Amino acid sequence: MGNQIEMRHLSYFLAVAQELHFRKAAEKLFISQPGLSRQIKQMEEILETQLFERNKKKVALTPAGHYLKYEVAFIFNHLEKVERQLKLVGDGNSGELRIGFLGSAMQDVIPSLLLKIKENYPRIRTSLEELSNTSQVDAVLNDRLDMGFVRLSRVPSTLQMKTVYKDSFSLVLPERYPMITREFEGMHQFANDEFILFSQAYSPYYYDTIISICKDAGFVPKVSHKSVHAHTIFKLVENHMGIAIVPTALQNGFQMRVKFIELKNIPQRAELSVIWKKEHTNPVLKNCTDLLV
């Protein structure tokens, strides 16, 4: 009997951990139940740790078993990704790049990156997923995304972060707001208005920046609504539910009855950054992040 954990041990363990039933797990694996029990027992002996609580009525994971289930699922996930990549990789000129993004990155940064990838590395396939800042950080850390486009002031130390786009902010008013653009002197004129903000959970840093713009003008904004989508925010402004402050780039691509006033004389800027794992294993990633410089 070898005293080393092998891949079969891990797949047997995962089957039992998912089913919590030895007979069902054995059927799923096409092996006999006594054989499966023996393999799990052998695994526990090698690890010198009990992974399952067993009694007549049920099978349950011990704390060590719970931990191992998470790790083994991660390993198999990762292996699957490696196999997929190997078929595509070669020298980083072909492969798959999984990109997460905030909606506002779609205005300019991502379309131009995708065009550059297409021109320089036509064999690289890309997949896109719109996610909040925290979901992107989590997905990059857990190898579900290769890179993300976020608005954050800082990220965990295992991630690399680089600013790719700096934008001014603009005030969004309903088309018929009782003030014409040339009468604009500063944000202090809007202290009594209600504001529609991007949700704090979606982007705390971004939310805090908008609050700071108002505080610099001498007031704390009254918030009437929060949303995670620019389209929703503009729709609410259009319907006189409040006013908003958004990155100026968001003016493009929305045909609505709203007007924009660029806030040129404030220090705050809407920064968009790209993040990726420092210790990444995707050969395609470096070629693509180099295109963002």
Side-chain angles (χ1 to χ4, degrees):
M1 176 169 80
N3 61 348
Q4 236 177 344
I5 294 294
E6 294 169 25
M7 284 304 287
R8 64 186 162 86
H9 286 123
L10 298 180
S11 55
Y12 291 164
F13 163 77
L14 198 56
V16 181
Q18 285 165 344
E19 296 293 335
L20 292 178
H21 198 289
F22 275 85
R23 183 178 53 75
K24 285 182 186 164
E27 283 169 6
K28 194 168 145 187
L29 294 162
F30 303 107
I31 61 171
S32 73
Q33 190 178 331
L36 178 59
S37 297
R38 207 164 40 247
Q39 294 286 348
I40 297 292
K41 198 157 176 25
Q42 181 187 358
M43 189 176 174
E44 289 179 320
E45 281 166 11
I46 294 168
L47 293 171
E48 298 177 358
T49 310
Q50 191 183 340
L51 301 170
F52 295 100
E53 303 274 4
R54 312 163 177 77
N55 62 36
K56 289 265 188 307
K57 287 198 177 70
K58 64 177 180 121
V59 175
L61 285 160
T62 62
H66 272 292
Y67 170 72
L68 188 63
K69 180 185 175 185
Y70 175 82
E71 292 295 336
V72 170
F74 179 81
I75 289 165
F76 283 138
N77 226 342
H78 193 68
L79 274 175
E80 222 172 277
K81 187 189 118 184
V82 169
E83 282 175 24
R84 255 201 339 268
Q85 287 288 116
L86 276 174
K87 292 190 184 97
L88 299 163
V89 165
D91 47 11
N93 291 337
S94 58
E96 183 188 20
L97 188 71
R98 298 157 307 161
I99 304 168
F101 66 96
L102 293 172
S104 52
M106 256 308 164
Q107 298 298 323
D108 189 336
V109 175
I110 287 183
S112 93
L113 173 65
L114 295 180
L115 277 172
K116 283 182 189 166
I117 291 173
K118 200 170 177 195
E119 282 164 17
N120 293 280
Y121 307 107
R123 300 209 308 279
I124 288 178
R125 288 202 319 243
T126 51
S127 64
L128 295 169
E129 199 175 347
E130 187 172 350
L131 292 167
S132 73
N133 286 307
T134 42
S135 301
Q136 286 187 67
V137 168
D138 191 50
V140 172
L141 286 172
N142 287 299
D143 276 343
R144 291 193 304 278
L145 284 179
D146 298 302
M147 69 194 320
F149 287 88
V150 297
R151 293 188 192 279
L152 288 168
S153 51
R154 59 182 180 276
V155 289
S157 59
T158 50
L159 298 184
Q160 189 75 38
M161 178 158 86
K162 190 162 83 179
T163 302
V164 288
Y165 192 73
K166 273 191 183 182
D167 195 4
S168 58
F169 282 102
S170 281
L171 183 64
V172 192
L173 304 171
E175 209 168 51
R176 296 214 170 119
Y177 191 87
M179 173 180 144
I180 53 177
T181 311
R182 67 167 179 271
E183 292 169 349
F184 176 80
E185 291 161 17
M187 281 306 301
H188 60 275
Q189 293 167 286
F190 301 89
N192 296 319
D193 282 273
E194 294 203 319
F195 280 76
I196 299 152
L197 299 186
F198 276 102
S199 151
Q200 201 166 0
Y202 187 70
S203 181
Y205 171 59
Y206 187 70
Y207 184 90
D208 293 346
T209 306
I210 304 296
I211 298 291
S212 76
I213 291 172
C214 296
K215 280 189 173 166
D216 287 355
F219 69 96
V220 175
K222 295 195 285 283
V223 180
S224 60
H225 295 85
K226 293 177 190 175
S227 172
V228 297
H229 294 296
H231 184 270
T232 309
I233 288 177
F234 291 161
K235 209 74 196 143
L236 290 166
V237 173
E238 186 181 62
N239 288 292
H240 297 267
M241 298 290 176
I243 64 176
I245 297 174
V246 302
T248 300
L250 282 174
Q251 286 189 46
N252 313 318
F254 294 98
Q255 295 304 310
M256 292 196 190
R257 294 189 305 281
V258 294
K259 57 186 177 187
F260 293 85
I261 299 175
E262 191 179 355
L263 305 175
K264 292 180 179 147
N265 303 325
I266 60 168
Q268 290 90 341
R269 288 290 172 265
E271 288 192 12
L272 185 74
S273 301
V274 61
I275 57 169
W276 67 89
K277 215 173 180 175
K278 287 176 185 169
E279 299 286 320
H280 69 85
T281 51
N282 185 348
V284 160
L285 184 60
K286 180 171 179 356
N287 288 344
C288 294
T289 50
D290 286 351
L291 295 174
L292 282 162
V293 178

